[in-house]
Amino acid sequence: MKCYNCGSVLDKENICVGCGVNVKIYKKIIMASNTHYNEALKKAQVRDLSGAAASLKLSLRFYKMNTDARNLLGLVYFEMGETVAALSEWVISKNYQPRENLASRYLDELQNNPSRLESINQTIKKYNQSLQYCRQDSRDLAVIQLKKVLSMNPKLVSAYQLLALLYLEERKYDAAQKALHSAAKIDVNNMLTLRYLRETKEALKQNDTGRKSRKEAQISYRSGNETIIQPRYVKDTSVAHTMLNMVIGVVIGAAITAFLIVPGVRREMLNSAKSQVLEANNTIASRNQTISTLEQQVEQLTAEVSRAQESAVDWESRISSYEQLLQAYQKYTEEDIEASGLAMANVNAEYLSEAAKAVYESINAEINAEYVRAMYEEGTAAYNSQDYETAVADFEKVIAIEETYDNGNVLYYIAQCYRKLEDWENARIYYQKVVELYPGSERANIAQNYLASSEMQQ
């Protein structure tokens, strides 16, 4: 601890040996600031990010030049998806302590990554646009924008909360609950998230108890001499349900073709083959045709039967593609991104009709993006928990779709996993890719050091 007046190092005495100033109160202020900083560390370790932010703000109120507290506050904001607030804290910290400050490294990592900065900028614009849509009462557009925001910045707690609020307004309580659970995973003790969760659970209970009575409730009125009875609640068919019904209709049409038309065609061809064989036998008896002519006819008929069987197999493949597409869309609407991505990978677009291809193309890109993001987050979580084999499997799925995902960090992490597993050959391959694709970056320098180590030379 240094004197605030002359910068001399303070000892246990309450008088500065350099300038003679009484530093008793100053020491108490520093101790109070450090106490709140330590409390924030404990809260951050259990992911109570909002509580940690409150403690850090109190710490900085006691001593605004506590750069450790300010840097940690920036990290807490960054983990909550509030990148702009995090950058502000780090810039202030760097101004207070220009040298030997971790804030310099945090700022350099972001400033040296133009794609990350552009992504942050787009996230802010889309989030502000979603707020504008909310003010205009365009809830559907706001939901779409918020989903795009979360695909670009999956840690933005305020976006999850706003999305949940929109779902609550639309009475989509299950979707709201999922969004709030996602927010709670990032910040476990956020008061706004807990409040929305409580209201969602109460709404779900009321919805379950009143569902039967709502279905049975009807309104009746008279039109002339007739009494007209209509349901009280009319279900509104959304665009998603319309698309789902269209896909189901295509699947049913394909199934009818496969199970009714194709077997009839096959039977007709087989009956035709039998009649032609019988006719050939009669021709042999009556006209004394040669055996070679009959053999040629039999070969032709056998080829036709084989083609009919191959056609049946082809229809089975078509049906499988439609079923996988339907399953992918269903899992996507349930926000089960991993299952949706696996099902979409099994769809053969060549077997789809034009209408089904339109559905396939409209959701394939978004499913792939969500699937890659989900696999990357699961791989990162497995890597942080030292489950390197699971992390390798998840990162391989990401690389198969987008090798340079997250500015090449996926290549660096899978190389780290292989090194931890002592799979030196694969570790060398991915370290080399990091060096080749991102020369001069911090990751490339670290990868180069690992490549030059003795264990990699085995």
Side-chain angles (χ1 to χ4, degrees):
M1 186 183 302
K2 294 183 180 180
C3 176
Y4 67 91
N5 188 40
C6 65
S8 300
V9 178
L10 300 177
D11 54 15
K12 295 182 179 180
E13 301 296 330
N14 292 328
I15 303 297
C16 175
V17 297
C19 61
V21 173
N22 190 328
V23 293
K24 181 178 180 180
I25 297 177
Y26 174 70
K27 284 185 175 181
K28 289 183 177 180
I29 291 173
I30 299 299
M31 289 177 62
S33 178
N34 290 334
T35 299
H36 290 295
Y37 169 70
N38 292 330
E39 289 179 358
L41 279 175
K42 294 178 181 178
K43 292 178 180 179
Q45 288 172 353
V46 295
R47 298 201 69 81
D48 182 8
L49 301 184
S50 56
S55 297
L56 289 169
K57 290 178 182 177
L58 192 57
S59 174
L60 292 172
R61 287 185 63 185
F62 279 100
Y63 185 52
K64 67 179 181 180
M65 297 180 66
N66 190 341
T67 54
D68 289 335
R70 199 171 291 279
N71 291 342
L72 180 58
L73 181 58
L75 289 174
V76 169
Y77 281 144
F78 190 79
E79 186 65 18
M80 294 171 67
E82 304 289 346
T83 310
V84 176
L87 290 172
S88 300
E89 297 298 334
W90 291 335
V91 170
I92 295 172
S93 174
K94 188 175 181 180
N95 289 331
Y96 284 142
Q97 184 181 335
R99 297 181 179 179
E100 297 181 359
N101 192 338
L102 286 174
S104 300
R105 194 186 80 182
Y106 302 149
L107 291 171
D108 290 340
E109 287 184 359
L110 285 176
Q111 292 172 353
N112 293 332
N113 192 342
S115 62
R116 186 68 177 275
L117 290 175
E118 179 62 22
S119 177
I120 293 170
N121 186 35
Q122 292 298 322
T123 301
I124 295 171
K125 289 182 179 179
K126 291 182 182 297
Y127 183 75
N128 291 335
Q129 184 63 52
S130 65
L131 289 175
Q132 185 65 26
Y133 284 143
C134 290
R135 296 187 185 100
Q136 297 172 357
D137 202 24
S138 300
R139 298 170 190 167
D140 292 340
L141 295 176
V143 169
I144 293 172
Q145 285 293 337
L146 287 172
K147 287 184 177 180
K148 291 180 180 179
V149 168
L150 292 173
S151 68
M152 299 170 70
N153 186 1
K155 294 184 178 181
L156 188 54
V157 175
S158 57
Y160 284 113
Q161 293 170 342
L162 181 57
L163 181 61
L165 195 60
L166 291 171
Y167 281 143
L168 285 171
E169 190 69 18
E170 296 293 332
R171 298 185 179 181
K172 297 179 180 179
Y173 302 122
D174 291 332
Q177 192 174 47
K178 288 182 181 179
L180 292 171
H181 281 317
S182 298
K185 290 179 182 178
I186 301 170
D187 185 5
V188 298
N189 201 26
N190 189 289
M191 293 295 103
L192 190 58
T193 301
L194 296 177
R195 175 187 167 189
Y196 287 170
L197 270 174
R198 184 187 63 188
E199 294 180 1
T200 303
K201 290 178 180 178
E202 291 177 357
L204 283 171
K205 289 180 181 179
Q206 294 176 1
N207 192 42
D208 290 339
T209 55
R211 186 175 295 169
K212 291 183 179 179
S213 60
R214 288 198 303 270
K215 287 183 178 180
E216 294 174 356
Q218 294 179 335
I219 300 175
S220 61
Y221 61 92
R222 296 188 63 82
S223 176
N225 295 325
E226 297 181 353
T227 300
I228 307 298
I229 300 176
Q230 68 176 28
R232 183 180 295 272
Y233 298 97
V234 180
K235 186 176 180 181
D236 184 19
T237 303
S238 63
V239 176
H241 286 93
T242 302
M243 294 178 66
L244 182 60
N245 291 333
M246 182 177 65
V247 173
I248 292 174
V250 172
V251 172
I252 292 174
I256 291 173
T257 303
F259 293 106
L260 296 179
I261 299 176
V262 173
V265 172
R266 187 191 303 176
R267 284 195 299 271
E268 183 178 352
M269 294 183 68
L270 289 174
N271 292 333
S272 177
K274 291 179 181 178
S275 63
Q276 291 183 30
V277 171
L278 180 59
E279 184 180 351
N281 291 330
N282 295 331
T283 302
I284 292 173
S286 61
R287 298 185 181 180
N288 196 19
Q289 293 182 341
T290 61
I291 296 177
S292 59
T293 303
L294 293 175
E295 289 177 347
Q296 291 177 0
Q297 291 180 358
V298 171
E299 288 176 357
Q300 291 177 357
L301 295 173
T302 303
E304 291 178 1
V305 173
S306 298
R307 285 194 294 270
Q309 293 175 347
E310 290 174 359
S311 177
V313 173
D314 183 66
W315 275 108
E316 291 177 358
S317 300
R318 290 175 184 270
I319 293 170
S320 176
S321 293
Y322 280 109
E323 290 175 347
Q324 291 297 321
L325 177 59
L326 181 60
Q327 183 178 359
Y329 186 83
Q330 181 180 1
K331 294 298 181 182
Y332 175 71
T333 57
E334 295 173 356
E335 298 183 359
D336 188 352
I337 302 303
E338 183 175 356
S340 178
L342 292 174
M344 186 62 74
N346 294 326
V347 176
N348 189 342
E350 295 180 356
Y351 290 137
L352 301 178
S353 65
E354 293 299 323
K357 281 183 180 179
V359 177
Y360 172 83
E361 292 173 357
S362 65
I363 64 175
N364 184 42
E366 191 168 356
I367 287 178
N368 280 341
E370 294 287 338
Y371 179 71
V372 168
R373 180 183 63 79
M375 291 297 98
Y376 183 73
E377 288 183 353
E378 291 181 8
T380 304
Y383 175 84
N384 292 333
S385 61
Q386 300 182 357
D387 186 4
Y388 300 115
E389 292 181 353
T390 302
V392 165
D394 292 331
F395 288 144
E396 287 287 1
K397 295 176 182 178
V398 176
I399 291 172
I401 297 175
E402 186 177 351
E403 186 179 65
T404 59
Y405 186 77
D406 194 21
N407 202 30
N409 282 336
V410 65
L411 296 173
Y412 176 80
Y413 283 127
I414 196 171
Q416 288 286 82
C417 292
Y418 277 123
R419 184 176 64 82
K420 298 287 187 180
L421 295 172
E422 298 184 356
D423 187 349
W424 312 118
E425 181 177 357
N426 283 318
R428 280 194 296 270
I429 292 173
Y430 286 105
Y431 279 135
Q432 190 64 40
K433 285 187 176 182
V434 173
V435 173
E436 291 174 358
L437 295 176
Y438 303 95
S441 65
E442 183 179 356
R443 296 291 195 199
N445 294 333
I446 297 173
Q448 189 65 53
N449 291 335
Y450 280 126
L451 288 171
S453 61
S454 58
E455 59 185 8
M456 287 294 180
Q457 305 302 322
Q458 297 179 3

